[in-house]
Amino acid sequence: MSETLPNPDLVVALPRLRRYARVLTGDVHRADDLVQDTLARAWEKRRLWRAGSDLRAWLFTIMHNIHVNQFSMRQREYAQTSLDADDSAAAGWEIAVRATQSDRVELSETLATIAKLPVEQREVLMLAAVEELRYEEISTVLGVPIGTVMSRLSRAREKLRRMMGESASTLKVVR
Amino acid sequence: MAVLDEELHAYADNQLSRGRAEEVAAAIAREPALAARVAEIRRQNAQLRDAFDPWLAEPLPRKLLAAASGVCRRSQWQPIALAVAASLLFGIGLGWIGRGEVLQRAGTPVTFEREAALTHALYAADPNRPVEIWAAEEKRMVSWLSKRLAFPLHAPDLNSVGFALVGGRLVAGNEKPGALFMYENADKQRISLFVRKDAENARETGFRYAYENGVGVFYWIDDACGYAITGRIDRGQLLAIARIVYGQLAAAEAAAPKQ
């Protein structure tokens, strides 16, 4: 059995880890610190990774746990934190938006709206809709029962839908 | 048969078992309200991916690259790791909106064939999610991609040469998006057809061959639309497949009603 992580895969996962970190922290710099902590932990625990299983989900699990621990250490109200409460954090999202060339207004509106969701809803949306993890994997990543994953996902989608509907009729997605 | 709300989510996310998915699909066909819910969830998913995917193309800080490559300089991680990393990242940046920038930074012109090669390299290497929509939903996939690209697309049938359709995905472009159809044979080799129509493809070409980073590309540009058949397979085999694709697309076009 392999006792090491498949190294190139770890590098391949890097952009996704950064993205997830940014969704969790809402801040580019804190996100990169979180990625670094996650990679360090992954190296320490590399023997626990089961070869053949989804490396991405395993890394997200580690990242989620580090993030939750760091947050409780700071005595923040983890589930209640939304990015609009903190302008400097919200700015972290904008940097990424600037990098995109097309559909800029629509994308930045989408990002700004998501930033207003509580972190638990942001992360479940991220994992289900963007990363397309299986619900069972999401349940493992977040350390909650699958029923909780489903109810969070359902609430997050409903809330986002309402907020997007409110923000402007121009936000209709072109299909 | 009642459909639970969470089953609608699971259906929209392609996570239901095959049998149950068929039952839900039948219920959706009967109930427009259910269909609208599923469409809404999928539209939202696409919207989220459109918003977040560009982040993947951002340049990575050196310290993270080093950390991912195993900073602890133990024997198992050779210096080649970084080289591998660099080339993989190069490919990764590619699938996304920012990839034009990535390519230009590398000092290479962004040509259609180069883009096809790198897009293929990026997605064909992904064991779990090479496509956005699987071949099981081929019809829906083709009509969705046709809508997004704003012209009718066809997924050629390559079963005669042993390649089955895996599925397809939308690929970001500078000006307009492109579509990628992925195929796989019994040996798990993958080839793809990349299609994109935009002003950058103003030039017209006959069949051409390009070779980029170990990936062969047969491509042609026709009426501002570029087509590329791409894969890590033998050049002769690739050409034979490109001819089949060309023939099928020409036949489909001839059969299409004139606009």
Side-chain angles (χ1 to χ4, degrees), chain A:
Chain A
M1 202 195 111
S2 162
E3 289 194 334
T4 52
L5 297 171
N7 192 41
D9 290 357
L10 205 54
V11 178
V12 168
L14 203 45
R16 289 171 187 277
L17 279 179
R18 273 188 105 201
R19 176 165 75 172
Y20 186 52
R22 206 183 288 170
V23 167
L24 288 176
T25 63
D27 177 282
V28 182
H29 303 293
R30 274 200 288 146
D32 281 351
D33 289 346
L34 180 56
V35 173
Q36 189 129 32
D37 291 346
T38 303
L39 291 169
R41 188 75 57 87
W43 276 102
E44 282 165 31
K45 296 169 65 170
R46 64 187 180 276
R47 282 181 182 79
L48 298 179
W49 182 71
R50 281 181 300 109
S53 67
D54 190 337
L55 183 66
R56 198 173 39 137
W58 185 70
L59 292 169
F60 286 156
T61 310
I62 294 175
M63 178 174 283
H64 170 86
N65 290 335
I66 293 176
H67 180 67
V68 170
N69 289 337
Q70 288 178 349
F71 252 70
S72 62
M73 273 193 288
R74 288 194 206 124
Q75 299 185 316
R76 292 240 202 158
E77 189 63 288
Y78 169 63
Q80 294 305 318
T81 309
S82 68
L83 297 181
D84 60 344
D86 181 349
D87 282 347
S88 66
W93 297 68
E94 299 306 322
I95 290 171
V97 175
R98 249 182 274 135
T100 67
Q101 293 167 356
S102 59
D103 300 334
R104 214 158 100 186
V105 175
E106 186 180 296
L107 294 183
S108 71
E109 292 275 4
T110 307
L111 291 173
T113 311
I114 295 161
K116 291 179 187 151
L117 295 174
V119 65
E120 60 169 26
Q121 293 186 2
R122 291 202 303 271
E123 63 181 341
V124 79
L125 275 177
M126 197 65 201
L127 296 173
V130 182
E131 293 293 348
E132 301 178 281
L133 292 190
R134 311 285 310 168
Y135 297 152
E136 302 87 64
E137 289 176 316
I138 298 174
S139 146
T140 309
V141 170
L142 303 181
V144 298
I146 199 156
T148 309
V149 171
M150 295 310 301
S151 59
R152 277 186 195 172
L153 183 60
S154 178
R155 262 181 282 133
R157 278 175 164 157
E158 179 54 27
K159 189 162 177 193
L160 183 62
R161 189 183 66 78
R162 258 186 294 128
M163 293 197 304
M164 293 301 290
E166 279 164 15
S167 55
S169 56
T170 53
L171 293 186
K172 281 259 186 298
V173 181
V174 182
R175 274 179 61 97

Side-chain angles (χ1 to χ4, degrees), chain B residues 167-252:
Chain B
R169 66 160 65 239
L170 192 67
V171 178
N174 287 335
E175 194 183 324
K176 288 186 178 159
L180 187 80
F181 296 109
M182 185 85 64
Y183 296 82
E184 190 176 79
N185 69 6
D187 299 329
K188 299 278 170 208
Q189 284 178 309
R190 284 175 175 169
I191 58 169
S192 64
L193 169 64
F194 180 57
V195 184
R196 204 184 62 210
K197 192 176 209 168
D198 66 23
E200 282 170 29
N201 287 337
R203 66 204 170 115
E204 225 158 84
T205 70
F207 261 83
R208 295 214 175 140
Y209 182 72
Y211 189 77
E212 300 272 356
N213 295 336
V215 182
V217 187
F218 265 105
Y219 68 100
W220 63 98
I221 297 173
D222 195 4
D223 193 19
C225 191
Y227 301 88
I229 285 286
T230 307
R232 290 174 197 276
I233 58 170
D234 173 73
R235 180 178 169 155
Q237 200 186 353
L238 201 60
L239 175 62
I241 293 168
R243 288 207 170 111
I244 293 171
V245 170
Y246 183 84
Q248 287 189 11
L249 293 177

